[in-house]
Amino acid sequence: DGGITQSPKYLFRKEGQNVTLSCEQNLNHDAMYWYRQDPGQGLRLIYYSQIVNDFQKGDIAEGYSVSREKKESFPLTVTSAQKNPTAFYLCASRPQSGINYEQYFGPGTRLTVT
Amino acid sequence: GNSVTQMEGPVTLSEEAFLTINCTYTATGYPSLFWYVQYPGEGLQLLLKATKADDKGSNKGFEATYRKETTSFHLEKGSVQVSDSAVYFCALSGRSSGGSNYKLTFGKGTLLTVNP
């Protein structure tokens, strides 16, 4: 079955540690996205990538980094510079650039930093 | 810039009641509009979409009509079920400012609880 995989589902880290969240898709989609979800805040865009080896900052990129070395993979690193990293992180992909195409979402990773 | 405003929740209904969740938007040009649903602990699933004015999206008994004159995309269902309990997000896909990239802009979500 085609889809988006995020692992792990739950992740716990100590403050001051970097942590990398995995996102893999086998939908052959060009564009991939990372969102952060906090209660009552909706979804906020962290980073997105329209093509391999290229990515752009979203609305809340500070304290995060990404890479896009392969079409199917878009890992997100939450660095120790991120002030409030505890959140639900969602990865999404889209077939191609274009206004009519919806995004497909993964199941999410809940990160807790103590 | 683009923005989406949807009614604040939570919304609590009895089974078989009529549902309306209001959504209005601000965007340049002609965006596409979407409703997504999120069940507890899961990612978002596309519920329905409309890509031009007067289009009606529908799925699983839910409907929404793209109204350009009122910049609205209200979600409706005639008879809700307990299994419809979830968070509903309105979103638009529009061109980012000064660029050629398309991004989704989301509302804050509306929590719906349906009681038996």
Side-chain angles (χ1 to χ4, degrees):
Chain A
D1 264 25
I4 301 176
T5 304
Q6 290 186 246
S7 61
K9 190 165 179 64
Y10 299 96
L11 192 52
F12 298 88
R13 281 293 182 270
K14 295 289 188 187
E15 199 173 317
Q17 294 179 336
N18 291 354
V19 59
T20 298
L21 281 60
S22 167
C23 177
E24 304 278 332
Q25 55 99 358
N26 60 4
L27 300 167
N28 200 35
H29 287 175
D30 289 317
M32 296 187 74
Y33 305 80
W34 273 105
Y35 294 91
R36 171 183 172 134
Q37 186 178 22
D38 296 283
Q41 295 284 328
L43 276 72
R44 293 183 288 171
L45 182 64
I46 304 172
Y47 268 99
Y48 63 103
S49 169
Q50 305 275 66
I51 197 168
V52 174
N53 292 323
D54 186 47
F55 48 83
Q56 286 80 41
K57 293 181 179 179
D59 301 318
I60 55 164
E62 186 175 346
Y64 299 97
S65 66
V66 294
S67 63
R68 187 84 187 277
E69 297 176 1
K70 298 185 296 182
K71 187 175 185 177
E72 59 269 22
S73 179
F74 191 42
L76 172 75
T77 296
V78 184
T79 75
S80 56
Q82 168 51 232
K83 297 276 190 285
N84 298 296
T86 295
F88 190 50
Y89 291 88
L90 287 160
C91 179
S93 69
R94 189 181 199 188
Q96 55 187 279
S97 182
I99 198 168
N100 295 337
Y101 294 95
E102 64 268 24
Q103 290 182 15
Y104 295 73
F105 284 82
T109 292
R110 186 166 298 280
L111 173 64
T112 302
V113 176
T114 57
Chain B
N2 298 334
S3 68
V4 174
T5 302
Q6 60 182 105
M7 65 186 283
E8 295 197 14
V11 174
T12 303
L13 297 173
S14 297
E15 206 164 22
E16 299 184 4
F18 184 85
L19 169 71
T20 299
I21 301 178
N22 291 337
C23 171
T24 57
Y25 68 90
T26 302
T28 54
Y30 303 93
S32 290
L33 300 173
F34 306 87
W35 276 102
Y36 281 87
V37 59
Q38 184 180 33
Y39 298 101
E42 298 183 8
L44 275 68
Q45 303 173 26
L46 179 69
L47 182 58
L48 52 84
K49 71 177 186 181
T51 59
K52 60 183 188 297
D54 299 325
D55 264 4
K56 177 187 281 188
S58 62
N59 185 27
K60 299 180 182 179
F62 292 89
E63 293 183 340
T65 301
Y66 189 161
R67 301 282 188 206
K68 192 172 187 303
E69 64 275 13
T70 55
T71 62
S72 65
F73 192 54
H74 305 321
L75 182 69
E76 297 182 335
K77 187 176 186 183
S79 176
V80 294
Q81 306 301 311
V82 172
S83 57
D84 294 326
S85 298
V87 179
Y88 292 82
F89 291 93
C90 184
L92 71 83
S93 174
R95 191 185 292 274
S96 60
S97 299
S100 60
N101 297 319
Y102 293 95
K103 296 190 292 183
L104 278 183
T105 301
F106 287 89
K108 292 190 175 183
T110 302
L111 173 62
L112 169 67
T113 301
V114 180
N115 295 319

